[in-house]
Amino acid sequence: MSANSISFQRVVRHNVLATIGLVLVAIFTVFALFAPWIAPQDPAYIDLPNRLATPSATHWCGTDELGRDILSRLIYGSRISMLVGSCVVGMSLFLGLIVGSAAGYYGGRFDRFVNIVVMNAFLSFPGILLAIAFVAFRGPGIFNLVLALSLGGWVGYARLVRAQVLAAREREYVEAARALGATDLRVITRHILPNIIQPIVVQAAIGMAGAILAEATMSFLGLGVPPPTASWGAMLNDGRAHLFDAPHLVIFPAMAVMLAVLSFNFIGDTLGDVLDPRSRIEAGF
C-alpha cells in the first residue's frame, strides 16, 4: 500500500467532511449505476390524480405537477449529473493534458501562442456563456452538452499542466532521459506526467463539482437533456412555478445538487491535503 493511500485513510478517519464526501459520492454513484432497480417508480409515469402530492409513505419526496414520483426522478437524475460530469472532466482533462504538455515542454513561440492567444481567448468569455451559445446553436442533448461544457473547461487544466511541465522539464531525471535518447513523447508520458499528476487529480475532483453544477444550470435553462428525461436542473425549472404552494418540488432537487457539489469539493480538499507534503507534515502524517 502506497504512502499516499495510507495518508488518505488517516485523513479520512480524522476528517469528518472527507468521510461525508466519500459516502455521498458512493451513494450518487450507486444511484447512477443501479437506478432502474433502486427507483420505486418509473420516473416518467404520469399520475394526474396525485399531482403535487406532499411527501408521504407512498411518495417519500412527493410528486410533481404531473404526478411523477420525485424520488424516482432524483435517482435517475443522478445518472445524468454523474455521466455529464465525468465526461466533461475526462474530455477537458484530456485536451488540457495534450495542449498544456506540448506548450510547457516545447516553449518558445508555440508556448506564447497557446498561452497568450488561445487560452486567453477562451478565458475572455465566461465558460457558461460559451456553453449556452454552443447548445443553442447545436441543439440540446447529452453529447452536445458535454461538448459545450468541455469547450471552456479544458483551459484551466491546460494552464495547470503547462505550469507543472515548465517546472519539471528542467529536472535531472528529464535531462537524464533525454541523454539516453528517449523521444519527446516518452519523456512527457513516462517521466514528466507521472510526477505532476498530483495537483491535476485535485483539480479534476474539484472540476467534477463545477461540471455537475454547470449541467444543472444548463438543464435549468432548458439547454440540457430533452424531456421527459429526469435531470436535477430541469426539475428545478419545473418546480419554480410552485415554489410557494409545493416547495418540495424545489427543495429536493436543490438539495441533490448541493450535496453532489459539496461532496466533490470535500474530496478535492482532502486530496489536496493528502498530496501536499507540507500539509501532511503539519497534520502529523
Side-chain angles (χ1 to χ4, degrees), residues 73-109:
R73 294 182 64 78
L74 288 174
I75 293 174
Y76 272 85
S78 64
R79 280 187 147 186
I80 301 299
S81 295
M82 298 296 286
L83 175 62
V84 172
S86 301
C87 292
V88 169
V89 171
M91 184 175 295
S92 301
L93 182 58
F94 178 73
L95 293 175
L97 283 173
I98 294 177
V99 177
S101 298
Y105 185 78
Y106 292 107
R109 294 181 179 179

mmCIF file of all heavy atoms in Angstrom, residues 73-109:
data_model
loop_
_atom_site.group_PDB
_atom_site.id
_atom_site.type_symbol
_atom_site.label_atom_id
_atom_site.label_comp_id
_atom_site.label_asym_id
_atom_site.label_seq_id
_atom_site.Cartn_x
_atom_site.Cartn_y
_atom_site.Cartn_z
ATOM 1 N N ARG A 73 -37.304 10.396 -9.850
ATOM 2 C CA ARG A 73 -36.667 11.327 -10.781
ATOM 3 C C ARG A 73 -35.325 11.822 -10.233
ATOM 4 O O ARG A 73 -34.388 12.089 -10.994
ATOM 5 C CB ARG A 73 -37.606 12.501 -11.073
ATOM 6 C CG ARG A 73 -38.851 12.065 -11.827
ATOM 7 C CD ARG A 73 -39.761 13.226 -12.162
ATOM 8 N NE ARG A 73 -39.140 14.186 -13.077
ATOM 9 C CZ ARG A 73 -39.013 14.006 -14.373
ATOM 10 N NH1 ARG A 73 -39.462 12.890 -14.946
ATOM 11 N NH2 ARG A 73 -38.456 14.925 -15.131
ATOM 12 N N LEU A 74 -35.209 11.959 -8.918
ATOM 13 C CA LEU A 74 -33.925 12.331 -8.330
ATOM 14 C C LEU A 74 -32.887 11.231 -8.546
ATOM 15 O O LEU A 74 -31.723 11.510 -8.865
ATOM 16 C CB LEU A 74 -34.086 12.600 -6.828
ATOM 17 C CG LEU A 74 -34.809 13.879 -6.416
ATOM 18 C CD1 LEU A 74 -35.001 13.906 -4.907
ATOM 19 C CD2 LEU A 74 -34.041 15.119 -6.871
ATOM 20 N N ILE A 75 -33.302 9.987 -8.371
ATOM 21 C CA ILE A 75 -32.378 8.868 -8.554
ATOM 22 C C ILE A 75 -31.937 8.772 -10.008
ATOM 23 O O ILE A 75 -30.745 8.608 -10.293
ATOM 24 C CB ILE A 75 -33.046 7.557 -8.083
ATOM 25 C CG1 ILE A 75 -33.270 7.592 -6.563
ATOM 26 C CG2 ILE A 75 -32.193 6.353 -8.469
ATOM 27 C CD1 ILE A 75 -34.047 6.414 -6.025
ATOM 28 N N TYR A 76 -32.866 8.904 -10.931
ATOM 29 C CA TYR A 76 -32.498 8.872 -12.350
ATOM 30 C C TYR A 76 -31.720 10.125 -12.748
ATOM 31 O O TYR A 76 -30.873 10.083 -13.647
ATOM 32 C CB TYR A 76 -33.746 8.726 -13.217
ATOM 33 C CG TYR A 76 -34.150 7.305 -13.473
ATOM 34 C CD1 TYR A 76 -34.935 6.606 -12.570
ATOM 35 C CD2 TYR A 76 -33.734 6.643 -14.621
ATOM 36 C CE1 TYR A 76 -35.310 5.293 -12.792
ATOM 37 C CE2 TYR A 76 -34.110 5.325 -14.868
ATOM 38 C CZ TYR A 76 -34.890 4.660 -13.952
ATOM 39 O OH TYR A 76 -35.244 3.339 -14.177
ATOM 40 N N GLY A 77 -32.005 11.243 -12.086
ATOM 41 C CA GLY A 77 -31.270 12.470 -12.379
ATOM 42 C C GLY A 77 -29.801 12.374 -12.012
ATOM 43 O O GLY A 77 -28.957 13.038 -12.633
ATOM 44 N N SER A 78 -29.481 11.543 -11.015
ATOM 45 C CA SER A 78 -28.076 11.356 -10.663
ATOM 46 C C SER A 78 -27.312 10.715 -11.813
ATOM 47 O O SER A 78 -26.104 10.937 -11.958
ATOM 48 C CB SER A 78 -27.958 10.488 -9.401
ATOM 49 O OG SER A 78 -28.468 9.174 -9.630
ATOM 50 N N ARG A 79 -27.984 9.933 -12.645
ATOM 51 C CA ARG A 79 -27.326 9.347 -13.818
ATOM 52 C C ARG A 79 -26.828 10.440 -14.753
ATOM 53 O O ARG A 79 -25.693 10.411 -15.227
ATOM 54 C CB ARG A 79 -28.301 8.453 -14.578
ATOM 55 C CG ARG A 79 -28.495 7.085 -13.996
ATOM 56 C CD ARG A 79 -29.343 6.229 -14.920
ATOM 57 N NE ARG A 79 -28.920 4.832 -14.842
ATOM 58 C CZ ARG A 79 -29.403 3.878 -15.611
ATOM 59 N NH1 ARG A 79 -30.312 4.168 -16.536
ATOM 60 N NH2 ARG A 79 -28.971 2.645 -15.483
ATOM 61 N N ILE A 80 -27.685 11.417 -15.032
ATOM 62 C CA ILE A 80 -27.311 12.496 -15.945
ATOM 63 C C ILE A 80 -26.181 13.319 -15.356
ATOM 64 O O ILE A 80 -25.189 13.636 -16.033
ATOM 65 C CB ILE A 80 -28.535 13.377 -16.245
ATOM 66 C CG1 ILE A 80 -29.658 12.543 -16.862
ATOM 67 C CG2 ILE A 80 -28.143 14.526 -17.170
ATOM 68 C CD1 ILE A 80 -29.295 11.886 -18.167
ATOM 69 N N SER A 81 -26.295 13.670 -14.085
ATOM 70 C CA SER A 81 -25.286 14.517 -13.455
ATOM 71 C C SER A 81 -23.929 13.825 -13.402
ATOM 72 O O SER A 81 -22.898 14.428 -13.748
ATOM 73 C CB SER A 81 -25.737 14.908 -12.044
ATOM 74 O OG SER A 81 -26.893 15.707 -12.088
ATOM 75 N N MET A 82 -23.901 12.573 -12.983
ATOM 76 C CA MET A 82 -22.630 11.857 -12.877
ATOM 77 C C MET A 82 -22.048 11.566 -14.262
ATOM 78 O O MET A 82 -20.829 11.655 -14.461
ATOM 79 C CB MET A 82 -22.832 10.553 -12.107
ATOM 80 C CG MET A 82 -23.301 10.742 -10.671
ATOM 81 S SD MET A 82 -22.109 11.608 -9.634
ATOM 82 C CE MET A 82 -20.881 10.339 -9.409
ATOM 83 N N LEU A 83 -22.905 11.226 -15.221
ATOM 84 C CA LEU A 83 -22.418 10.935 -16.568
ATOM 85 C C LEU A 83 -21.848 12.184 -17.229
ATOM 86 O O LEU A 83 -20.725 12.167 -17.750
ATOM 87 C CB LEU A 83 -23.552 10.363 -17.417
ATOM 88 C CG LEU A 83 -23.227 10.118 -18.896
ATOM 89 C CD1 LEU A 83 -22.117 9.093 -19.038
ATOM 90 C CD2 LEU A 83 -24.484 9.675 -19.652
ATOM 91 N N VAL A 84 -22.610 13.264 -17.194
ATOM 92 C CA VAL A 84 -22.146 14.502 -17.821
ATOM 93 C C VAL A 84 -20.912 15.027 -17.097
ATOM 94 O O VAL A 84 -19.935 15.441 -17.733
ATOM 95 C CB VAL A 84 -23.274 15.552 -17.828
ATOM 96 C CG1 VAL A 84 -22.745 16.906 -18.291
ATOM 97 C CG2 VAL A 84 -24.414 15.105 -18.730
ATOM 98 N N GLY A 85 -20.935 15.007 -15.758
ATOM 99 C CA GLY A 85 -19.777 15.489 -15.010
ATOM 100 C C GLY A 85 -18.520 14.699 -15.314
ATOM 101 O O GLY A 85 -17.448 15.274 -15.546
ATOM 102 N N SER A 86 -18.621 13.373 -15.350
ATOM 103 C CA SER A 86 -17.458 12.531 -15.635
ATOM 104 C C SER A 86 -16.943 12.754 -17.051
ATOM 105 O O SER A 86 -15.729 12.853 -17.272
ATOM 106 C CB SER A 86 -17.818 11.057 -15.436
ATOM 107 O OG SER A 86 -18.259 10.807 -14.123
ATOM 108 N N CYS A 87 -17.857 12.837 -18.010
ATOM 109 C CA CYS A 87 -17.431 13.030 -19.407
ATOM 110 C C CYS A 87 -16.803 14.404 -19.609
ATOM 111 O O CYS A 87 -15.805 14.538 -20.336
ATOM 112 C CB CYS A 87 -18.623 12.851 -20.345
ATOM 113 S SG CYS A 87 -19.250 11.159 -20.438
ATOM 114 N N VAL A 88 -17.363 15.428 -18.986
ATOM 115 C CA VAL A 88 -16.811 16.778 -19.124
ATOM 116 C C VAL A 88 -15.416 16.852 -18.521
ATOM 117 O O VAL A 88 -14.480 17.389 -19.133
ATOM 118 C CB VAL A 88 -17.748 17.812 -18.475
ATOM 119 C CG1 VAL A 88 -17.058 19.176 -18.360
ATOM 120 C CG2 VAL A 88 -19.030 17.945 -19.271
ATOM 121 N N VAL A 89 -15.254 16.307 -17.321
ATOM 122 C CA VAL A 89 -13.934 16.316 -16.683
ATOM 123 C C VAL A 89 -12.942 15.493 -17.494
ATOM 124 O O VAL A 89 -11.790 15.903 -17.697
ATOM 125 C CB VAL A 89 -14.033 15.792 -15.237
ATOM 126 C CG1 VAL A 89 -12.649 15.578 -14.639
ATOM 127 C CG2 VAL A 89 -14.815 16.769 -14.376
ATOM 128 N N GLY A 90 -13.376 14.314 -17.976
ATOM 129 C CA GLY A 90 -12.476 13.479 -18.755
ATOM 130 C C GLY A 90 -12.038 14.136 -20.056
ATOM 131 O O GLY A 90 -10.846 14.136 -20.389
ATOM 132 N N MET A 91 -12.984 14.724 -20.787
ATOM 133 C CA MET A 91 -12.631 15.374 -22.054
ATOM 134 C C MET A 91 -11.797 16.629 -21.813
ATOM 135 O O MET A 91 -10.807 16.879 -22.527
ATOM 136 C CB MET A 91 -13.900 15.715 -22.833
ATOM 137 C CG MET A 91 -13.632 16.310 -24.201
ATOM 138 S SD MET A 91 -15.145 16.574 -25.164
ATOM 139 C CE MET A 91 -15.683 14.869 -25.387
ATOM 140 N N SER A 92 -12.171 17.432 -20.820
ATOM 141 C CA SER A 92 -11.407 18.644 -20.522
ATOM 142 C C SER A 92 -9.996 18.299 -20.073
ATOM 143 O O SER A 92 -9.021 18.952 -20.482
ATOM 144 C CB SER A 92 -12.123 19.461 -19.441
ATOM 145 O OG SER A 92 -13.418 19.837 -19.843
ATOM 146 N N LEU A 93 -9.879 17.273 -19.238
ATOM 147 C CA LEU A 93 -8.565 16.860 -18.765
ATOM 148 C C LEU A 93 -7.713 16.322 -19.898
ATOM 149 O O LEU A 93 -6.505 16.608 -19.977
ATOM 150 C CB LEU A 93 -8.728 15.800 -17.669
ATOM 151 C CG LEU A 93 -7.449 15.286 -17.012
ATOM 152 C CD1 LEU A 93 -6.659 16.429 -16.386
ATOM 153 C CD2 LEU A 93 -7.789 14.241 -15.955
ATOM 154 N N PHE A 94 -8.316 15.555 -20.808
ATOM 155 C CA PHE A 94 -7.580 15.012 -21.952
ATOM 156 C C PHE A 94 -7.032 16.133 -22.839
ATOM 157 O O PHE A 94 -5.850 16.146 -23.195
ATOM 158 C CB PHE A 94 -8.498 14.091 -22.750
ATOM 159 C CG PHE A 94 -7.867 13.502 -23.982
ATOM 160 C CD1 PHE A 94 -6.915 12.500 -23.875
ATOM 161 C CD2 PHE A 94 -8.217 13.962 -25.249
ATOM 162 C CE1 PHE A 94 -6.326 11.957 -25.013
ATOM 163 C CE2 PHE A 94 -7.640 13.426 -26.381
ATOM 164 C CZ PHE A 94 -6.685 12.424 -26.259
ATOM 165 N N LEU A 95 -7.884 17.089 -23.175
ATOM 166 C CA LEU A 95 -7.443 18.213 -24.002
ATOM 167 C C LEU A 95 -6.415 19.065 -23.264
ATOM 168 O O LEU A 95 -5.420 19.522 -23.841
ATOM 169 C CB LEU A 95 -8.639 19.073 -24.404
ATOM 170 C CG LEU A 95 -9.650 18.437 -25.359
ATOM 171 C CD1 LEU A 95 -10.850 19.357 -25.568
ATOM 172 C CD2 LEU A 95 -8.999 18.106 -26.688
ATOM 173 N N GLY A 96 -6.656 19.282 -21.966
ATOM 174 C CA GLY A 96 -5.726 20.085 -21.190
ATOM 175 C C GLY A 96 -4.350 19.448 -21.071
ATOM 176 O O GLY A 96 -3.326 20.141 -21.130
ATOM 177 N N LEU A 97 -4.322 18.119 -20.924
ATOM 178 C CA LEU A 97 -3.032 17.426 -20.848
ATOM 179 C C LEU A 97 -2.257 17.550 -22.160
ATOM 180 O O LEU A 97 -1.046 17.794 -22.151
ATOM 181 C CB LEU A 97 -3.249 15.948 -20.514
ATOM 182 C CG LEU A 97 -3.571 15.603 -19.065
ATOM 183 C CD1 LEU A 97 -3.938 14.128 -18.934
ATOM 184 C CD2 LEU A 97 -2.390 15.929 -18.161
ATOM 185 N N ILE A 98 -2.947 17.393 -23.277
ATOM 186 C CA ILE A 98 -2.264 17.474 -24.570
ATOM 187 C C ILE A 98 -1.738 18.887 -24.833
ATOM 188 O O ILE A 98 -0.550 19.089 -25.120
ATOM 189 C CB ILE A 98 -3.209 17.027 -25.702
ATOM 190 C CG1 ILE A 98 -3.547 15.544 -25.558
ATOM 191 C CG2 ILE A 98 -2.584 17.303 -27.064
ATOM 192 C CD1 ILE A 98 -4.534 15.036 -26.580
ATOM 193 N N VAL A 99 -2.617 19.870 -24.717
ATOM 194 C CA VAL A 99 -2.228 21.247 -25.033
ATOM 195 C C VAL A 99 -1.223 21.776 -24.022
ATOM 196 O O VAL A 99 -0.199 22.375 -24.384
ATOM 197 C CB VAL A 99 -3.477 22.149 -25.090
ATOM 198 C CG1 VAL A 99 -3.072 23.604 -25.342
ATOM 199 C CG2 VAL A 99 -4.435 21.674 -26.176
ATOM 200 N N GLY A 100 -1.487 21.561 -22.734
ATOM 201 C CA GLY A 100 -0.591 22.066 -21.700
ATOM 202 C C GLY A 100 0.776 21.410 -21.732
ATOM 203 O O GLY A 100 1.805 22.083 -21.547
ATOM 204 N N SER A 101 0.819 20.097 -21.985
ATOM 205 C CA SER A 101 2.107 19.404 -22.042
ATOM 206 C C SER A 101 2.936 19.893 -23.222
ATOM 207 O O SER A 101 4.140 20.144 -23.091
ATOM 208 C CB SER A 101 1.880 17.894 -22.152
ATOM 209 O OG SER A 101 1.208 17.390 -21.020
ATOM 210 N N ALA A 102 2.300 20.030 -24.383
ATOM 211 C CA ALA A 102 3.036 20.490 -25.564
ATOM 212 C C ALA A 102 3.543 21.914 -25.381
ATOM 213 O O ALA A 102 4.700 22.228 -25.701
ATOM 214 C CB ALA A 102 2.139 20.400 -26.797
ATOM 215 N N ALA A 103 2.694 22.798 -24.837
ATOM 216 C CA ALA A 103 3.103 24.192 -24.651
ATOM 217 C C ALA A 103 4.217 24.312 -23.618
ATOM 218 O O ALA A 103 5.191 25.041 -23.822
ATOM 219 C CB ALA A 103 1.894 25.030 -24.226
ATOM 220 N N GLY A 104 4.086 23.594 -22.514
ATOM 221 C CA GLY A 104 5.102 23.689 -21.479
ATOM 222 C C GLY A 104 6.409 23.022 -21.847
ATOM 223 O O GLY A 104 7.486 23.498 -21.457
ATOM 224 N N TYR A 105 6.359 21.942 -22.602
ATOM 225 C CA TYR A 105 7.575 21.200 -22.918
ATOM 226 C C TYR A 105 8.385 21.879 -24.022
ATOM 227 O O TYR A 105 9.610 21.992 -23.921
ATOM 228 C CB TYR A 105 7.212 19.776 -23.342
ATOM 229 C CG TYR A 105 8.405 18.888 -23.584
ATOM 230 C CD1 TYR A 105 9.099 18.329 -22.509
ATOM 231 C CD2 TYR A 105 8.841 18.610 -24.874
ATOM 232 C CE1 TYR A 105 10.195 17.501 -22.724
ATOM 233 C CE2 TYR A 105 9.933 17.794 -25.092
ATOM 234 C CZ TYR A 105 10.612 17.244 -24.016
ATOM 235 O OH TYR A 105 11.708 16.445 -24.237
ATOM 236 N N TYR A 106 7.700 22.334 -25.071
ATOM 237 C CA TYR A 106 8.428 22.914 -26.202
ATOM 238 C C TYR A 106 8.706 24.403 -26.014
ATOM 239 O O TYR A 106 9.712 24.909 -26.507
ATOM 240 C CB TYR A 106 7.651 22.683 -27.506
ATOM 241 C CG TYR A 106 7.610 21.228 -27.902
ATOM 242 C CD1 TYR A 106 6.441 20.488 -27.779
ATOM 243 C CD2 TYR A 106 8.748 20.589 -28.375
ATOM 244 C CE1 TYR A 106 6.399 19.151 -28.134
ATOM 245 C CE2 TYR A 106 8.709 19.245 -28.732
ATOM 246 C CZ TYR A 106 7.532 18.539 -28.609
ATOM 247 O OH TYR A 106 7.500 17.207 -28.956
ATOM 248 N N GLY A 107 7.833 25.111 -25.303
ATOM 249 C CA GLY A 107 8.074 26.518 -25.032
ATOM 250 C C GLY A 107 8.162 27.351 -26.298
ATOM 251 O O GLY A 107 7.607 27.016 -27.347
ATOM 252 N N GLY A 108 8.894 28.479 -26.194
ATOM 253 C CA GLY A 108 9.134 29.322 -27.356
ATOM 254 C C GLY A 108 7.873 29.945 -27.919
ATOM 255 O O GLY A 108 6.930 30.284 -27.199
ATOM 256 N N ARG A 109 7.864 30.099 -29.239
ATOM 257 C CA ARG A 109 6.743 30.747 -29.903
ATOM 258 C C ARG A 109 5.451 29.951 -29.764
ATOM 259 O O ARG A 109 4.361 30.522 -29.628
ATOM 260 C CB ARG A 109 7.064 30.948 -31.380
ATOM 261 C CG ARG A 109 8.203 31.942 -31.652
ATOM 262 C CD ARG A 109 8.425 32.100 -33.144
ATOM 263 N NE ARG A 109 9.488 33.063 -33.403
ATOM 264 C CZ ARG A 109 9.911 33.382 -34.638
ATOM 265 N NH1 ARG A 109 9.361 32.779 -35.693
ATOM 266 N NH2 ARG A 109 10.869 34.272 -34.797
#
